[in-house]
Amino acid sequence: MTVRTRFAPSPTGYLHVGGARTALFSWLYARKHGGQFILRIEDTDLARSTEESVNAILEGMTWLGLTYDEGPFYQTQRFDRYKEVIAQLLEQGDAYCCYCSKETLEDMREEQRANKQKPRYDGRCRHLKNPPTDVEPVIRFKNSTDGVVVVKDNIRGDVLFQNAELDDLIIARSDGSPTYNLTVVVDDMDMGLTHVIRGDDHLNNSPRQINIFKALKAEVPVFSHVPMILGDDGARLSKRHGAVGVMNYRDEGYLPEALLNYLVRLGWSYGDQEIFSLEQMIQLFDITDVNKAASSFNTDKLIWLNQHYIKTSSPEHIARHLSYHMGKRGIDPSQGPALTEVVALQQERAKTLVEMATNSVFFYHAPEGYDEKAAKKNLTVKSVGFLADMKERLSAITSWQIEPIHDEIKACALQHDVGMGKVAQPIRVAVTGTTISPPLDATLALLGRDKTLSAIEQAITWIEQQITY
């Protein structure tokens, strides 16, 4: 048997982290077993589905690197097939027309509540002899009224449902459009899905879907219902907890592999190991090891992982992702030092790519101003002498490299009988606008002679203007 899994989001918003984790688990299961991973867009909710949401889902999957072997398939392109199956179920006697009005259904529920019964459709149209001719009926699936449905779940084990508790669900609306539980079964059947991994909010749909599978004499896939993700306050993860859309994490400066590593650990573990490459995830992940309990999202842990990946990834890899953030700051990385060289200097110091980009702008254009506290402390009348001396020394360097630059900073400090920091910090503020940068000698070497001397000259002029005022 070839393992076939799927990710089937509804395009009614962004790709959220809960969906991304489900996609990751499905992707890993397929890859581990040499199977196929299918992407299906469940867009039958025409009122809420948007092209923008479809694009957001596809963009999120691409950014995460969760490549699919087939798809994307769109349910709206399969309406003829759904009608065909609905007609088959009607012909088999496994479905029937229901003419009950909303008022009738509400009265039914009220009476059941009054009798302390579970509100459910009572099947009154199952054997209707004289149906009305002026009402467009819905189509209901004729669920068995006795016996037990067993949902074989790789996470929860066998979950039992009494058929008597399952009412005759609607599989087609009065306008003929199919409903979720019908389309999902038809798609999973036609696409040969062997394993369905999805959120545990779908667990109650599973017995209904299993009964439809059996009515169609189709193989029932093995289910795995993944627990939900909670915020750090114990409530279901939502926008109020911060970024929950996958691309929000891209915009906040996370690497995709850091987010994937974090998501795989939400509900799954392998001993005490925290860091997993994609190859290790594929090798070690087992859906049967996923916890039954919900997991809590911890942003601090994600930041820690992101910092690890920034530190340990190749500059070329980080530069590809950093380029996006530089562009958002109006920086063209080709108009300055190679971005890989900037990354090599900055990657030990940044927790996010946003932080790295912000702290790297000065490599591409001079600071538009100085941090107030940094300038007040370091761009003083006394520092003019250090800056002027260093401008002269740096101008005379024949080989613009780290060691000669370092030697001149050291020599200047000795001549003025001060610590190297007294010389280095005014230069750092001059070239970066702040007191934050990688080692100054390496920073200046990468920045270049012209930009360095220009920045020092500009700082001297700025200090003199302050004296004038």
Side-chain angles (χ1 to χ4, degrees), residues 292-342:
K292 297 177 184 178
S295 302
S296 295
F297 200 93
N298 185 322
T299 303
D300 289 340
K301 186 66 170 290
L302 175 57
I303 291 174
W304 176 81
L305 276 169
N306 200 54
Q307 186 174 21
H308 165 81
Y309 279 99
I310 287 176
K311 281 183 177 181
T312 59
S313 299
S314 72
E316 291 77 15
H317 175 74
I318 297 175
R320 284 195 293 272
H321 290 283
L322 182 64
S323 178
Y324 166 80
H325 297 279
M326 300 304 286
K328 291 197 74 171
R329 285 158 179 73
I331 301 296
D332 180 351
S334 69
Q335 304 301 308
L339 204 52
T340 51
E341 295 185 53
V342 173

Short mmCIF file of all heavy atoms in Angstrom, two decimals, residues 292-342:
data_model
loop_
_atom_site.label_atom_id
_atom_site.label_comp_id
_atom_site.label_asym_id
_atom_site.label_seq_id
_atom_site.Cartn_x
_atom_site.Cartn_y
_atom_site.Cartn_z
N LYS A 292 -2.05 13.22 23.28
CA LYS A 292 -3.50 13.42 23.18
C LYS A 292 -3.90 14.79 23.71
O LYS A 292 -4.93 15.33 23.32
CB LYS A 292 -4.22 12.34 23.99
CG LYS A 292 -4.00 10.93 23.48
CD LYS A 292 -4.71 9.93 24.38
CE LYS A 292 -4.41 8.49 23.95
NZ LYS A 292 -5.05 7.50 24.85
N ALA A 293 -3.10 15.35 24.61
CA ALA A 293 -3.44 16.63 25.23
C ALA A 293 -3.03 17.81 24.35
O ALA A 293 -2.13 17.70 23.51
CB ALA A 293 -2.76 16.74 26.59
N ALA A 294 -3.70 18.92 24.54
CA ALA A 294 -3.39 20.13 23.79
C ALA A 294 -2.01 20.65 24.18
O ALA A 294 -1.51 20.38 25.29
CB ALA A 294 -4.45 21.20 24.06
N SER A 295 -1.37 21.40 23.29
CA SER A 295 -0.05 21.97 23.54
C SER A 295 -0.16 23.49 23.64
O SER A 295 -1.01 24.10 23.00
CB SER A 295 0.91 21.61 22.40
OG SER A 295 1.01 20.22 22.25
N SER A 296 0.72 24.09 24.43
CA SER A 296 0.72 25.54 24.61
C SER A 296 1.85 26.17 23.81
O SER A 296 2.98 25.69 23.83
CB SER A 296 0.87 25.90 26.09
OG SER A 296 -0.25 25.46 26.82
N PHE A 297 1.52 27.24 23.12
CA PHE A 297 2.50 27.95 22.29
C PHE A 297 3.36 28.83 23.19
O PHE A 297 2.85 29.57 24.03
CB PHE A 297 1.78 28.82 21.25
CG PHE A 297 2.64 29.19 20.09
CD1 PHE A 297 2.66 28.42 18.95
CD2 PHE A 297 3.46 30.31 20.13
CE1 PHE A 297 3.45 28.75 17.86
CE2 PHE A 297 4.24 30.66 19.06
CZ PHE A 297 4.25 29.89 17.92
N ASN A 298 4.67 28.75 23.00
CA ASN A 298 5.62 29.51 23.82
C ASN A 298 6.53 30.30 22.89
O ASN A 298 7.44 29.75 22.28
CB ASN A 298 6.42 28.55 24.70
CG ASN A 298 7.35 29.28 25.67
OD1 ASN A 298 7.94 30.30 25.33
ND2 ASN A 298 7.47 28.75 26.88
N THR A 299 6.28 31.60 22.78
CA THR A 299 7.03 32.43 21.84
C THR A 299 8.51 32.49 22.21
O THR A 299 9.38 32.54 21.33
CB THR A 299 6.44 33.85 21.79
OG1 THR A 299 5.06 33.75 21.42
CG2 THR A 299 7.16 34.71 20.77
N ASP A 300 8.82 32.50 23.51
CA ASP A 300 10.22 32.56 23.93
C ASP A 300 11.00 31.35 23.41
O ASP A 300 12.17 31.48 23.01
CB ASP A 300 10.32 32.62 25.46
CG ASP A 300 9.85 33.95 26.03
OD1 ASP A 300 9.82 34.94 25.26
OD2 ASP A 300 9.51 34.00 27.22
N LYS A 301 10.36 30.19 23.42
CA LYS A 301 11.02 28.98 22.92
C LYS A 301 11.25 29.09 21.40
O LYS A 301 12.30 28.69 20.89
CB LYS A 301 10.15 27.76 23.23
CG LYS A 301 10.78 26.42 22.88
CD LYS A 301 12.00 26.16 23.76
CE LYS A 301 12.51 24.74 23.60
NZ LYS A 301 11.61 23.72 24.17
N LEU A 302 10.29 29.66 20.71
CA LEU A 302 10.43 29.85 19.26
C LEU A 302 11.57 30.81 18.96
O LEU A 302 12.37 30.58 18.03
CB LEU A 302 9.13 30.37 18.66
CG LEU A 302 9.16 30.73 17.18
CD1 LEU A 302 9.59 29.55 16.32
CD2 LEU A 302 7.80 31.25 16.73
N ILE A 303 11.68 31.88 19.73
CA ILE A 303 12.77 32.84 19.54
C ILE A 303 14.12 32.16 19.77
O ILE A 303 15.08 32.37 19.03
CB ILE A 303 12.60 34.06 20.47
CG1 ILE A 303 11.39 34.89 20.02
CG2 ILE A 303 13.86 34.93 20.49
CD1 ILE A 303 11.05 36.02 20.97
N TRP A 304 14.19 31.33 20.80
CA TRP A 304 15.44 30.61 21.10
C TRP A 304 15.83 29.72 19.91
O TRP A 304 17.00 29.67 19.51
CB TRP A 304 15.24 29.76 22.36
CG TRP A 304 16.41 28.90 22.70
CD1 TRP A 304 17.54 29.27 23.35
CD2 TRP A 304 16.58 27.50 22.35
NE1 TRP A 304 18.41 28.18 23.45
CE2 TRP A 304 17.85 27.10 22.86
CE3 TRP A 304 15.79 26.57 21.69
CZ2 TRP A 304 18.31 25.80 22.70
CZ3 TRP A 304 16.25 25.27 21.54
CH2 TRP A 304 17.51 24.90 22.04
N LEU A 305 14.85 29.01 19.36
CA LEU A 305 15.13 28.16 18.20
C LEU A 305 15.56 29.00 17.00
O LEU A 305 16.49 28.63 16.28
CB LEU A 305 13.87 27.36 17.83
CG LEU A 305 13.63 26.06 18.59
CD1 LEU A 305 12.22 25.53 18.28
CD2 LEU A 305 14.67 25.01 18.22
N ASN A 306 14.89 30.12 16.80
CA ASN A 306 15.23 30.97 15.66
C ASN A 306 16.66 31.48 15.77
O ASN A 306 17.41 31.50 14.79
CB ASN A 306 14.25 32.14 15.60
CG ASN A 306 14.21 32.79 14.24
OD1 ASN A 306 13.99 32.13 13.23
ND2 ASN A 306 14.45 34.09 14.19
N GLN A 307 17.05 31.89 16.98
CA GLN A 307 18.42 32.37 17.18
C GLN A 307 19.42 31.25 16.89
O GLN A 307 20.48 31.49 16.30
CB GLN A 307 18.58 32.88 18.61
CG GLN A 307 19.93 33.54 18.87
CD GLN A 307 20.00 34.17 20.25
OE1 GLN A 307 19.23 33.83 21.15
NE2 GLN A 307 20.91 35.11 20.42
N HIS A 308 19.07 30.03 17.29
CA HIS A 308 19.95 28.90 17.01
C HIS A 308 20.15 28.72 15.50
O HIS A 308 21.28 28.54 15.04
CB HIS A 308 19.37 27.61 17.61
CG HIS A 308 20.00 26.36 17.08
ND1 HIS A 308 21.19 25.88 17.57
CD2 HIS A 308 19.63 25.52 16.06
CE1 HIS A 308 21.52 24.79 16.90
NE2 HIS A 308 20.59 24.54 15.98
N TYR A 309 19.05 28.77 14.76
CA TYR A 309 19.16 28.56 13.31
C TYR A 309 19.87 29.72 12.62
O TYR A 309 20.59 29.51 11.64
CB TYR A 309 17.77 28.33 12.70
CG TYR A 309 17.30 26.90 12.88
CD1 TYR A 309 16.41 26.56 13.90
CD2 TYR A 309 17.77 25.89 12.05
CE1 TYR A 309 16.00 25.25 14.07
CE2 TYR A 309 17.36 24.57 12.22
CZ TYR A 309 16.48 24.25 13.24
OH TYR A 309 16.09 22.95 13.42
N ILE A 310 19.69 30.93 13.13
CA ILE A 310 20.41 32.06 12.55
C ILE A 310 21.91 31.89 12.78
O ILE A 310 22.74 32.14 11.89
CB ILE A 310 19.91 33.40 13.16
CG1 ILE A 310 18.52 33.72 12.61
CG2 ILE A 310 20.88 34.54 12.83
CD1 ILE A 310 17.89 34.96 13.22
N LYS A 311 22.28 31.44 13.96
CA LYS A 311 23.70 31.27 14.29
C LYS A 311 24.34 30.14 13.49
O LYS A 311 25.52 30.23 13.11
CB LYS A 311 23.86 30.96 15.79
CG LYS A 311 23.76 32.17 16.69
CD LYS A 311 24.03 31.73 18.13
CE LYS A 311 24.02 32.92 19.08
NZ LYS A 311 24.29 32.49 20.47
N THR A 312 23.60 29.08 13.25
CA THR A 312 24.21 27.86 12.70
C THR A 312 23.99 27.64 11.20
O THR A 312 24.63 26.78 10.62
CB THR A 312 23.70 26.63 13.47
OG1 THR A 312 22.26 26.55 13.35
CG2 THR A 312 24.08 26.70 14.94
N SER A 313 23.10 28.40 10.60
CA SER A 313 22.85 28.23 9.16
C SER A 313 23.93 28.92 8.35
O SER A 313 24.62 29.82 8.84
CB SER A 313 21.48 28.80 8.79
OG SER A 313 20.44 28.12 9.47
N SER A 314 24.05 28.55 7.10
CA SER A 314 25.06 29.17 6.24
C SER A 314 24.66 30.61 5.94
O SER A 314 23.47 30.92 5.84
CB SER A 314 25.19 28.39 4.93
OG SER A 314 24.04 28.61 4.11
N PRO A 315 25.63 31.51 5.79
CA PRO A 315 25.31 32.90 5.42
C PRO A 315 24.51 32.98 4.13
O PRO A 315 23.65 33.86 3.99
CB PRO A 315 26.69 33.54 5.27
CG PRO A 315 27.58 32.76 6.20
CD PRO A 315 27.08 31.35 6.08
N GLU A 316 24.77 32.08 3.20
CA GLU A 316 24.03 32.10 1.93
C GLU A 316 22.54 31.84 2.17
O GLU A 316 21.68 32.52 1.57
CB GLU A 316 24.59 31.04 0.97
CG GLU A 316 25.99 31.34 0.44
CD GLU A 316 27.10 31.06 1.46
OE1 GLU A 316 26.82 30.37 2.47
OE2 GLU A 316 28.23 31.53 1.25
N HIS A 317 22.24 30.88 3.04
CA HIS A 317 20.84 30.56 3.32
C HIS A 317 20.16 31.73 4.02
O HIS A 317 19.04 32.13 3.65
CB HIS A 317 20.77 29.31 4.20
CG HIS A 317 19.38 28.97 4.64
ND1 HIS A 317 18.44 28.43 3.79
CD2 HIS A 317 18.76 29.13 5.85
CE1 HIS A 317 17.30 28.25 4.45
NE2 HIS A 317 17.47 28.67 5.70
N ILE A 318 20.81 32.29 5.02
CA ILE A 318 20.21 33.41 5.76
C ILE A 318 20.05 34.62 4.86
O ILE A 318 19.04 35.33 4.91
CB ILE A 318 21.06 33.75 7.00
CG1 ILE A 318 21.08 32.56 7.97
CG2 ILE A 318 20.50 34.98 7.70
CD1 ILE A 318 21.98 32.76 9.15
N ALA A 319 21.02 34.86 4.00
CA ALA A 319 20.96 36.02 3.10
C ALA A 319 19.74 35.96 2.19
O ALA A 319 19.13 36.99 1.90
CB ALA A 319 22.24 36.11 2.27
N ARG A 320 19.37 34.76 1.76
CA ARG A 320 18.20 34.63 0.89
C ARG A 320 16.94 35.10 1.60
O ARG A 320 16.07 35.74 1.01
CB ARG A 320 18.03 33.17 0.43
CG ARG A 320 19.01 32.75 -0.65
CD ARG A 320 18.58 31.46 -1.31
NE ARG A 320 18.65 30.32 -0.40
CZ ARG A 320 19.73 29.58 -0.21
NH1 ARG A 320 20.85 29.87 -0.86
NH2 ARG A 320 19.72 28.55 0.62
N HIS A 321 16.84 34.81 2.90
CA HIS A 321 15.67 35.23 3.67
C HIS A 321 15.82 36.68 4.15
O HIS A 321 14.82 37.40 4.24
CB HIS A 321 15.47 34.29 4.86
CG HIS A 321 15.02 32.92 4.46
ND1 HIS A 321 13.72 32.62 4.10
CD2 HIS A 321 15.71 31.75 4.35
CE1 HIS A 321 13.62 31.35 3.79
NE2 HIS A 321 14.81 30.79 3.93
N LEU A 322 17.04 37.10 4.44
CA LEU A 322 17.26 38.47 4.92
C LEU A 322 16.98 39.48 3.82
O LEU A 322 16.55 40.61 4.10
CB LEU A 322 18.70 38.63 5.42
CG LEU A 322 19.08 39.99 5.99
CD1 LEU A 322 18.27 40.29 7.25
CD2 LEU A 322 20.58 40.05 6.29
N SER A 323 17.19 39.10 2.58
CA SER A 323 16.99 40.01 1.45
C SER A 323 15.58 40.60 1.47
O SER A 323 15.38 41.78 1.18
CB SER A 323 17.24 39.26 0.14
OG SER A 323 17.01 40.10 -0.96
N TYR A 324 14.59 39.78 1.81
CA TYR A 324 13.20 40.25 1.90
C TYR A 324 13.07 41.39 2.90
O TYR A 324 12.42 42.41 2.64
CB TYR A 324 12.30 39.08 2.29
CG TYR A 324 10.91 39.47 2.74
CD1 TYR A 324 9.92 39.78 1.81
CD2 TYR A 324 10.60 39.52 4.09
CE1 TYR A 324 8.64 40.14 2.23
CE2 TYR A 324 9.33 39.88 4.52
CZ TYR A 324 8.36 40.19 3.58
OH TYR A 324 7.09 40.54 3.99
N HIS A 325 13.70 41.23 4.05
CA HIS A 325 13.59 42.24 5.10
C HIS A 325 14.37 43.51 4.76
O HIS A 325 13.96 44.61 5.13
CB HIS A 325 14.07 41.65 6.43
CG HIS A 325 13.23 40.51 6.91
ND1 HIS A 325 12.04 40.70 7.57
CD2 HIS A 325 13.39 39.17 6.79
CE1 HIS A 325 11.50 39.53 7.84
NE2 HIS A 325 12.30 38.58 7.38
N MET A 326 15.48 43.37 4.05
CA MET A 326 16.22 44.55 3.60
C MET A 326 15.38 45.33 2.58
O MET A 326 15.31 46.57 2.62
CB MET A 326 17.56 44.15 3.00
CG MET A 326 18.49 43.41 3.95
SD MET A 326 18.84 44.30 5.48
CE MET A 326 19.97 45.56 4.90
N GLY A 327 14.72 44.59 1.69
CA GLY A 327 13.86 45.23 0.71
C GLY A 327 12.75 46.02 1.36
O GLY A 327 12.37 47.10 0.88
N LYS A 328 12.19 45.50 2.46
CA LYS A 328 11.12 46.21 3.16
C LYS A 328 11.61 47.51 3.78
O LYS A 328 10.81 48.39 4.10
CB LYS A 328 10.51 45.32 4.25
CG LYS A 328 9.74 44.13 3.71
CD LYS A 328 8.82 43.53 4.76
CE LYS A 328 7.61 44.41 4.99
NZ LYS A 328 6.60 43.76 5.85
N ARG A 329 12.92 47.64 3.93
CA ARG A 329 13.52 48.87 4.47
C ARG A 329 14.07 49.75 3.35
O ARG A 329 14.82 50.68 3.61
CB ARG A 329 14.63 48.49 5.47
CG ARG A 329 14.07 47.99 6.79
CD ARG A 329 15.04 47.14 7.56
NE ARG A 329 14.44 46.71 8.83
CZ ARG A 329 13.49 45.79 8.94
NH1 ARG A 329 13.02 45.18 7.86
NH2 ARG A 329 12.99 45.48 10.12
N GLY A 330 13.70 49.43 2.13
CA GLY A 330 14.14 50.24 1.01
C GLY A 330 15.59 50.04 0.62
O GLY A 330 16.19 50.89 -0.04
N ILE A 331 16.15 48.90 1.02
CA ILE A 331 17.56 48.63 0.74
C ILE A 331 17.67 47.67 -0.44
O ILE A 331 17.04 46.61 -0.46
CB ILE A 331 18.26 48.00 1.98
CG1 ILE A 331 18.16 48.93 3.19
CG2 ILE A 331 19.71 47.66 1.66
CD1 ILE A 331 18.87 50.23 3.03
N ASP A 332 18.50 48.02 -1.41
CA ASP A 332 18.86 47.11 -2.50
C ASP A 332 20.20 46.49 -2.13
O ASP A 332 21.24 47.17 -2.18
CB ASP A 332 18.96 47.88 -3.81
CG ASP A 332 19.34 46.98 -4.99
OD1 ASP A 332 19.68 45.80 -4.75
OD2 ASP A 332 19.31 47.46 -6.14
N PRO A 333 20.23 45.22 -1.72
CA PRO A 333 21.47 44.61 -1.25
C PRO A 333 22.60 44.59 -2.28
O PRO A 333 23.76 44.38 -1.91
CB PRO A 333 21.04 43.18 -0.87
CG PRO A 333 19.58 43.27 -0.61
CD PRO A 333 19.09 44.30 -1.59
N SER A 334 22.26 44.79 -3.54
CA SER A 334 23.32 44.81 -4.55
C SER A 334 24.09 46.13 -4.54
O SER A 334 25.16 46.23 -5.14
CB SER A 334 22.74 44.57 -5.95
OG SER A 334 21.96 45.67 -6.37
N GLN A 335 23.55 47.14 -3.84
CA GLN A 335 24.20 48.44 -3.79
C GLN A 335 25.02 48.58 -2.51
O GLN A 335 24.80 49.47 -1.69
CB GLN A 335 23.16 49.56 -3.86
CG GLN A 335 22.25 49.49 -5.07
CD GLN A 335 23.00 49.55 -6.38
OE1 GLN A 335 23.81 50.45 -6.59
NE2 GLN A 335 22.75 48.58 -7.25
N GLY A 336 25.94 47.68 -2.31
CA GLY A 336 26.75 47.69 -1.10
C GLY A 336 27.46 46.37 -0.94
O GLY A 336 27.58 45.60 -1.89
N PRO A 337 27.91 46.07 0.27
CA PRO A 337 28.63 44.81 0.48
C PRO A 337 27.72 43.61 0.23
O PRO A 337 26.50 43.71 0.35
CB PRO A 337 29.06 44.89 1.95
CG PRO A 337 28.15 45.87 2.58
CD PRO A 337 27.81 46.86 1.51
N ALA A 338 28.32 42.48 -0.10
CA ALA A 338 27.54 41.27 -0.32
C ALA A 338 26.76 40.92 0.94
O ALA A 338 27.30 40.97 2.06
CB ALA A 338 28.47 40.12 -0.70
N LEU A 339 25.49 40.60 0.76
CA LEU A 339 24.63 40.32 1.92
C LEU A 339 25.16 39.14 2.73
O LEU A 339 25.00 39.10 3.95
CB LEU A 339 23.21 40.06 1.44
CG LEU A 339 22.08 40.30 2.45
CD1 LEU A 339 22.17 41.67 3.07
CD2 LEU A 339 20.72 40.10 1.78
N THR A 340 25.80 38.18 2.06
CA THR A 340 26.36 37.05 2.79
C THR A 340 27.46 37.50 3.75
O THR A 340 27.60 36.94 4.85
CB THR A 340 26.95 36.01 1.82
OG1 THR A 340 27.84 36.67 0.91
CG2 THR A 340 25.85 35.31 1.04
N GLU A 341 28.23 38.52 3.37
CA GLU A 341 29.27 39.03 4.26
C GLU A 341 28.67 39.78 5.44
O GLU A 341 29.19 39.71 6.56
CB GLU A 341 30.21 39.94 3.47
CG GLU A 341 31.02 39.22 2.39
CD GLU A 341 32.02 40.14 1.72
OE1 GLU A 341 32.81 40.77 2.44
OE2 GLU A 341 31.99 40.23 0.48
N VAL A 342 27.59 40.50 5.19
CA VAL A 342 26.89 41.17 6.29
C VAL A 342 26.36 40.14 7.27
O VAL A 342 26.51 40.28 8.49
CB VAL A 342 25.74 42.04 5.73
CG1 VAL A 342 24.90 42.61 6.88
CG2 VAL A 342 26.29 43.17 4.87
#
